Amino acid sequence: MGNELGIEGDDLVSDLAAAALVEQMVRTAYGSRVSADIQPLQWSIIRYISRTPRERCTLSWIKSYLGRTHAPVSRAIKKLVERELIVPRPNPDDARSSLLELTETGMEIAKADPLLRIVDSIGKLPPGDRKRFRDLVRTVALTLTDIDGQ
Amino acid sequence: MTTVLVIEDNENFRTLLRAFLEDAGYEVVEAEALDAGLSVIENQESPFAAALIDFWLAGQSALPVLDRLRVVSPATAIILITGGGPNLSIEASRSFAEVSGPLHFLQKPFGRAELLKLLHHCVS
């Protein structure tokens, strides 16, 4: 089989289908009614705040953790504050920055994190398959990111 | 005495970590690179209570060390420390390290009190 993508051979066709399913999984997870109202970067910020000690929940720590520049993170935080999902509090250690906290609504929204839908599906795999899935995802992701020359 | 393994390629930071830990009463075994870390893990006489491991060791990820430590010494509490590296966010580094097993995480820079609080939580 040949086509414009240069995909030839049964294995490659199946690999392309697998890649499409990975994309579909993520789209489906982010496509739910609650998830779709919040951008992926905003979800990353909600996730960071929900699992990080309070004193490290500042714009500076968040942008460093996510590997993003100041402007998009600042905009995303502003949006989350406007939607009353997070609230800035005075930082006793640094008057120039605020500590960001999830509001009650933010905490509820965090429970609808789109990634949790995928987590739920992974959790339904038999234990051996679950570990194999994690190992395979890591291997494929390592190859994609090209760390350690994989 | 509680023994802690430190694998960190930055000599100054490694020395500082050793000072923090020894002052707090921990015994420290250190390694400065991936190969040295693997060697220490293979030759440990008794399991380390905890291991402080920098994700990036001279441009290589510490994943082989994490994988081996989880097999050889599953009871050792792992504390991953990172301040980011080439072409990979801290978030992604953490995911690569966490996908194969649980660990504690400390983003650089951090201070003595923060480190000891987490370490105490891990070993107690």
Side-chain angles (χ1 to χ4, degrees):
Chain A
M1 177 184 170
N3 54 42
E4 291 78 4
L5 293 175
I7 300 289
E8 290 185 26
D10 290 346
D11 272 346
L12 288 179
V13 170
S14 294
D15 290 345
L16 180 63
L21 286 177
V22 169
E23 185 183 51
Q24 186 60 40
M25 270 188 338
V26 176
R27 282 189 183 190
T28 303
Y30 277 90
S32 76
R33 203 158 53 98
V34 176
S35 309
D37 289 342
I38 299 172
Q39 299 300 309
L41 176 57
Q42 294 169 7
W43 275 117
S44 294
I45 293 168
I46 290 171
R47 212 171 286 136
Y48 176 91
I49 294 173
S50 66
R51 69 186 304 203
T52 305
R54 186 172 180 270
E55 64 275 12
R56 292 200 161 215
C57 292
T58 65
L59 188 154
S60 175
W61 280 110
I62 293 171
K63 71 184 172 74
S64 165
Y65 182 78
L66 299 177
R68 304 291 293 260
T69 54
H70 181 95
V73 177
S74 176
R75 275 197 303 272
I77 287 172
K78 191 170 170 222
K79 202 79 185 166
L80 290 169
V81 170
E82 281 169 8
R83 296 188 60 181
E84 299 183 349
L85 298 179
I86 63 174
V87 60
R89 305 275 190 213
N91 185 349
D93 297 325
D94 180 6
R96 294 164 302 173
S97 71
S98 303
L99 295 177
L100 302 164
E101 281 179 14
L102 291 177
T103 61
E104 295 255 334
T105 314
M107 283 187 240
E108 279 305 307
I109 287 287
K111 292 177 192 164
D113 185 335
L115 289 191
L116 294 179
R117 294 186 69 191
I118 300 176
V119 168
D120 195 38
S121 297
I122 297 170
K124 287 176 180 157
L125 294 170
D129 287 351
R130 198 171 172 185
K131 184 183 179 321
R132 246 188 317 278
F133 177 81
R134 293 194 296 247
D135 290 345
L136 290 172
V137 164
R138 187 179 92 166
T139 303
V140 174
L142 277 171
T143 309
L144 266 176
T145 51
D146 198 30
I147 69 172
D148 295 342
Q150 303 254 338
Chain B
M1 190 179 275
T2 307
T3 308
V4 178
L5 169 65
V6 174
I7 307 179
E8 162 64 60
D9 61 340
N10 182 305
E11 187 179 355
N12 291 337
F13 192 56
R14 198 171 63 247
T15 303
L16 189 64
L17 289 175
R18 174 185 275 279
F20 285 166
L21 297 174
E22 287 182 343
D23 284 353
Y26 293 100
E27 185 178 0
V28 176
V29 173
E30 61 181 36
E32 77 289 355
L34 194 60
D35 290 348
L38 285 168
S39 174
V40 169
I41 289 166
E42 295 299 341
N43 296 309
Q44 61 185 307
E45 287 172 8
S46 56
F48 298 107
L52 255 66
I53 301 173
D54 187 3
F55 185 82
W56 291 107
L57 299 167
Q60 289 179 292
S61 86
L63 292 175
V65 165
L66 295 171
D67 289 346
R68 196 63 197 144
L69 188 61
R70 283 171 170 141
V71 171
V72 173
S73 185
T76 300
I78 298 172
I79 300 176
L80 183 77
I81 52 177
T82 182
N87 304 321
L88 199 67
S89 69
I90 296 172
E91 180 187 36
S93 307
R94 181 180 183 174
S95 296
F96 274 118
E98 256 177 355
V99 74
S100 300
L103 51 77
H104 303 272
F105 173 76
L106 203 47
Q107 183 175 339
K108 292 179 182 175
F110 53 82
R112 179 179 182 279
E114 240 177 326
L115 170 66
L116 294 179
K117 183 179 168 191
L118 177 59
L119 186 57
H120 180 70
H121 167 76
C122 293
V123 301
S124 60

